[in-house]
Amino acid sequence: SSSRTFFSLPHGAVVTTPTNMAGQMSQREADIQMMLAAGCHLGTKNCDFQMERYVHKRRADGIYIINLGKTWDKLMLAARMLVAIENPADVVCQSARPYGQRAVLKFAQYTGAKAIAGRHTPGTYTNQIQEGFHEPRVLVLTDPRTDHQPISETAYVNLPTIAFCDTDSPLKLVDVAIPANNKAKHSIGCLYYILARMVLQMRGTISASNPWDVMVDLFFYRDPEELEDKPAEAEAAAIPGAESAGYDATGGFGAAPGAAAEPWDESMGAPPAMGGFGGAVPVAGQWNDAPAPSGWDAAAAPVDASGFGSGFDVAPGGY
């Protein structure tokens, strides 16, 4: 009928329902608006000759602007590739840069893929003897320049590669290049979030009636300094009686809080003994004139019958 609208997709499919097209366009516009807010369209001041097809224009300050319409199309193409894999665990997403490590972990969590965050161990895809050997069917990378080692290994095992490429990224051995800003943490998190949502939509896990309740903030890199606890001063103030505990210089160690040392006057006589072993107090400042000890201190030393000495100097026997 005349009410139907026909349009051709790049892969040759024909869609005849205008309602689906309107819904798809609204989702597309929302995604592009999110990518704009995250700065996915900002490239670098250098442009690779193979990335010129994805560049919209160049700003006055020399920054290349990426066409986000082509970015969204490439995200859809990558999602179709990932959905075609029967076992989700056969997909490996990798990021050696810190800004993309949390994003790949969250992407793997929600899509069922395997994540390799951090340094790539050489031979992960080629050396069958090593413990961390993987045989994935698709590899998703964050930065072709930083992740050059896994890209070079894919040439030996015929492994298709999907990569987020900036305007200055090399496209050698990259099969599907998604043009976007792969330098900023918000851009990387937004791209992995949209790709994960597209994969779940194509699998039927989420739909318009059952939307995805995951926020894009979970895919953003978080600085470790932001995760630190409150300062120790605030914690000490929250604990009652923390200031009165410990050593008191005025009342002596273990004295009751608030107790003050009583002053000593010479007219009161000799000061009390300070708890020595013999309890003796010097007379007129001379220890030689002190009275003889009494009590336990006056007892004779123990007699040693072994001849090795007295007291604790007895040599142990039984050897």
mmCIF file of all heavy atoms in Angstrom, residues 39 58 73 103 123 150 158 183 259-260 265 273 276 296-297 302 304 307:
data_model
loop_
_atom_site.group_PDB
_atom_site.id
_atom_site.type_symbol
_atom_site.label_atom_id
_atom_site.label_comp_id
_atom_site.label_asym_id
_atom_site.label_seq_id
_atom_site.Cartn_x
_atom_site.Cartn_y
_atom_site.Cartn_z
ATOM 1 N N GLY A 39 31.246 12.837 24.797
ATOM 2 C CA GLY A 39 32.421 13.267 24.043
ATOM 3 C C GLY A 39 32.958 12.224 23.098
ATOM 4 O O GLY A 39 34.152 12.248 22.775
ATOM 5 N N ARG A 58 36.831 19.214 10.531
ATOM 6 C CA ARG A 58 37.942 19.562 11.412
ATOM 7 C C ARG A 58 37.685 20.940 12.002
ATOM 8 O O ARG A 58 37.360 21.885 11.281
ATOM 9 C CB ARG A 58 39.263 19.550 10.643
ATOM 10 C CG ARG A 58 40.492 19.666 11.533
ATOM 11 C CD ARG A 58 41.769 19.600 10.716
ATOM 12 N NE ARG A 58 42.954 19.521 11.565
ATOM 13 C CZ ARG A 58 44.203 19.514 11.093
ATOM 14 N NH1 ARG A 58 44.416 19.569 9.782
ATOM 15 N NH2 ARG A 58 45.229 19.443 11.928
ATOM 16 N N ASP A 73 26.125 3.095 13.366
ATOM 17 C CA ASP A 73 25.979 1.997 12.406
ATOM 18 C C ASP A 73 27.010 0.896 12.663
ATOM 19 O O ASP A 73 26.688 -0.299 12.571
ATOM 20 C CB ASP A 73 26.132 2.529 10.978
ATOM 21 C CG ASP A 73 24.996 3.468 10.594
ATOM 22 O OD1 ASP A 73 23.930 3.396 11.227
ATOM 23 O OD2 ASP A 73 25.192 4.284 9.659
ATOM 24 N N ALA A 103 35.012 -0.948 32.087
ATOM 25 C CA ALA A 103 34.007 -1.084 31.038
ATOM 26 C C ALA A 103 33.972 -2.511 30.483
ATOM 27 O O ALA A 103 32.892 -3.087 30.291
ATOM 28 C CB ALA A 103 34.277 -0.080 29.915
ATOM 29 N N GLY A 123 51.067 -14.751 23.848
ATOM 30 C CA GLY A 123 50.768 -16.152 23.637
ATOM 31 C C GLY A 123 49.414 -16.577 24.147
ATOM 32 O O GLY A 123 49.124 -17.775 24.184
ATOM 33 N N PRO A 150 47.685 -8.274 21.210
ATOM 34 C CA PRO A 150 46.619 -9.224 20.842
ATOM 35 C C PRO A 150 46.185 -9.107 19.392
ATOM 36 O O PRO A 150 45.792 -10.116 18.790
ATOM 37 C CB PRO A 150 45.470 -8.858 21.797
ATOM 38 C CG PRO A 150 45.791 -7.513 22.304
ATOM 39 C CD PRO A 150 47.269 -7.407 22.316
ATOM 40 N N ASN A 158 43.455 -16.581 12.747
ATOM 41 C CA ASN A 158 42.265 -16.211 11.980
ATOM 42 C C ASN A 158 41.121 -15.752 12.893
ATOM 43 O O ASN A 158 40.010 -16.264 12.830
ATOM 44 C CB ASN A 158 41.790 -17.372 11.090
ATOM 45 C CG ASN A 158 42.820 -17.731 10.042
ATOM 46 O OD1 ASN A 158 43.550 -16.871 9.562
ATOM 47 N ND2 ASN A 158 42.885 -19.010 9.701
ATOM 48 N N LYS A 183 39.955 7.784 24.132
ATOM 49 C CA LYS A 183 40.906 8.360 25.075
ATOM 50 C C LYS A 183 40.247 8.751 26.401
ATOM 51 O O LYS A 183 40.904 8.753 27.436
ATOM 52 C CB LYS A 183 41.561 9.607 24.470
ATOM 53 C CG LYS A 183 42.243 9.382 23.129
ATOM 54 C CD LYS A 183 43.473 8.531 23.275
ATOM 55 C CE LYS A 183 44.316 8.556 22.004
ATOM 56 N NZ LYS A 183 43.611 7.970 20.841
ATOM 57 N N ALA A 259 41.901 12.870 86.248
ATOM 58 C CA ALA A 259 42.667 12.883 87.499
ATOM 59 C C ALA A 259 43.975 13.612 87.292
ATOM 60 O O ALA A 259 44.676 13.366 86.322
ATOM 61 C CB ALA A 259 42.923 11.456 87.978
ATOM 62 N N ALA A 260 44.315 14.502 88.215
ATOM 63 C CA ALA A 260 45.544 15.288 88.118
ATOM 64 C C ALA A 260 46.527 14.826 89.171
ATOM 65 O O ALA A 260 46.138 14.360 90.245
ATOM 66 C CB ALA A 260 45.246 16.785 88.286
ATOM 67 N N ASP A 265 55.293 18.499 98.363
ATOM 68 C CA ASP A 265 55.971 19.584 99.064
ATOM 69 C C ASP A 265 57.003 18.978 100.016
ATOM 70 O O ASP A 265 56.769 17.925 100.615
ATOM 71 C CB ASP A 265 54.955 20.424 99.846
ATOM 72 C CG ASP A 265 55.593 21.704 100.364
ATOM 73 O OD1 ASP A 265 56.785 21.922 100.071
ATOM 74 O OD2 ASP A 265 54.880 22.467 101.039
ATOM 75 N N ALA A 273 57.301 5.839 98.063
ATOM 76 C CA ALA A 273 58.144 4.996 97.218
ATOM 77 C C ALA A 273 57.467 4.757 95.889
ATOM 78 O O ALA A 273 56.254 4.634 95.803
ATOM 79 C CB ALA A 273 58.417 3.666 97.927
ATOM 80 N N GLY A 276 59.644 0.325 93.702
ATOM 81 C CA GLY A 276 60.833 -0.405 93.317
ATOM 82 C C GLY A 276 60.784 -1.828 93.817
ATOM 83 O O GLY A 276 59.879 -2.230 94.557
ATOM 84 N N TRP A 296 60.121 -9.832 101.682
ATOM 85 C CA TRP A 296 60.635 -10.816 100.730
ATOM 86 C C TRP A 296 62.036 -10.469 100.260
ATOM 87 O O TRP A 296 62.803 -11.334 99.867
ATOM 88 C CB TRP A 296 59.709 -10.917 99.529
ATOM 89 C CG TRP A 296 58.448 -11.652 99.821
ATOM 90 C CD1 TRP A 296 57.240 -11.116 100.075
ATOM 91 C CD2 TRP A 296 58.287 -13.055 99.896
ATOM 92 N NE1 TRP A 296 56.305 -12.083 100.306
ATOM 93 C CE2 TRP A 296 56.929 -13.303 100.190
ATOM 94 C CE3 TRP A 296 59.153 -14.143 99.763
ATOM 95 C CZ2 TRP A 296 56.407 -14.592 100.354
ATOM 96 C CZ3 TRP A 296 58.638 -15.417 99.904
ATOM 97 C CH2 TRP A 296 57.280 -15.638 100.203
ATOM 98 N N ASP A 297 62.355 -9.165 100.262
ATOM 99 C CA ASP A 297 63.677 -8.784 99.784
ATOM 100 C C ASP A 297 64.774 -9.161 100.764
ATOM 101 O O ASP A 297 65.949 -9.206 100.419
ATOM 102 C CB ASP A 297 63.738 -7.277 99.534
ATOM 103 C CG ASP A 297 62.775 -6.873 98.452
ATOM 104 O OD1 ASP A 297 62.728 -7.600 97.444
ATOM 105 O OD2 ASP A 297 62.076 -5.848 98.610
ATOM 106 N N PRO A 302 68.407 -18.311 97.085
ATOM 107 C CA PRO A 302 68.230 -19.764 97.070
ATOM 108 C C PRO A 302 69.557 -20.483 96.942
ATOM 109 O O PRO A 302 70.450 -20.049 96.222
ATOM 110 C CB PRO A 302 67.343 -20.005 95.837
ATOM 111 C CG PRO A 302 67.539 -18.789 94.992
ATOM 112 C CD PRO A 302 67.764 -17.652 95.931
ATOM 113 N N ASP A 304 71.945 -23.312 95.757
ATOM 114 C CA ASP A 304 72.035 -24.170 94.582
ATOM 115 C C ASP A 304 72.942 -25.347 94.921
ATOM 116 O O ASP A 304 74.111 -25.158 95.270
ATOM 117 C CB ASP A 304 72.597 -23.385 93.403
ATOM 118 C CG ASP A 304 72.710 -24.242 92.167
ATOM 119 O OD1 ASP A 304 71.956 -25.240 92.086
ATOM 120 O OD2 ASP A 304 73.526 -23.915 91.285
ATOM 121 N N GLY A 307 75.996 -26.587 92.031
ATOM 122 C CA GLY A 307 77.324 -26.019 91.873
ATOM 123 C C GLY A 307 77.484 -25.136 90.659
ATOM 124 O O GLY A 307 78.585 -24.664 90.397
#
